[in-house]
Amino acid sequence: MIPPKKIALIGALLLSSCASNMTDPWAGIGAGATTIGTSTGWAFYGATTEAEGTGGVLSGETGTDDTDLTPNYGGALKVNRFITDDFSLGLVYELRNFDADPIAPLSAELTPDAFTTHHFLLSSRYWLSPMGDDGRWKPFVGVDLGYIPEVDFGAVDVNYPGSIPNENVNIVGSSYWTLGLVGGASYMLREGLSLDMGAFYEFALTPGEDTLVFPNLGNATADVQVWAEGLVLFGGLTWYL
């Protein structure tokens, strides 16, 4: 993902270099129009992990811990179709890569390596009337329903308290669903090409889940649920076909 300052700089350069006189920048863009686009951004993201011991020495133990997820990189590909002049539906694929802070929902501290998530979204947008002196700006609001297949955290370092030897435990979280509330605006750079900027707040509707087995605790087990949420800032380009 690209830091917000760089996104703003890229946007400013595009605005200055692509300016041209258009009497009606959004003419012909309405019901039946199709768009393709791409974007990147920056996330302020985190997750809450809930754990419950289910076997061995962990039986009966419960705990919760929060972690910050720092983005490394990410991007999206989008296809959109205007159903009416003011309403569109689309499909989005996003790839995101994060670093996670250590978590300790039970007695041990778990530290994963960087991990990647794949997001498949059904997006909806309601477009407001063009704004600005030249009518190039067009605000939008929307809702995104997201599906994330299983998340492979790989071999996670487990640091036990006391004299118990540390070990690695493989964690693969189950698929889960999210909901995102979106707001932003598109700026028509030239005919058929817009610069898009905005933000969405996303939260999990269902958790990612896994059952962990800890060999150094005599194969004790724990059920874990991860609830992710955060704010994502984005910028990108859309081509109108």
Side-chain angles (χ1 to χ4, degrees), residues 31 81-89 123-127:
R81 180 80 171 180
F82 279 82
I83 308 303
T84 70
D85 288 347
D86 301 319
F87 179 74
S88 64
L89 291 175
S123 68
S124 64
R125 297 288 183 270
Y126 179 77
W127 299 81

Side-chain angles (χ1 to χ4, degrees), residues 174-212:
S174 67
S175 60
Y176 62 98
W177 294 85
T178 62
L179 192 69
L181 306 178
V182 188
S186 293
Y187 180 88
M188 191 61 70
L189 294 168
R190 59 176 176 80
E191 185 176 353
L193 177 64
S194 70
L195 172 69
D196 315 307
M197 294 173 285
F200 60 89
Y201 177 72
E202 181 181 77
F203 56 92
L205 295 174
T206 60
E209 301 176 295
D210 195 13
T211 297
L212 309 186

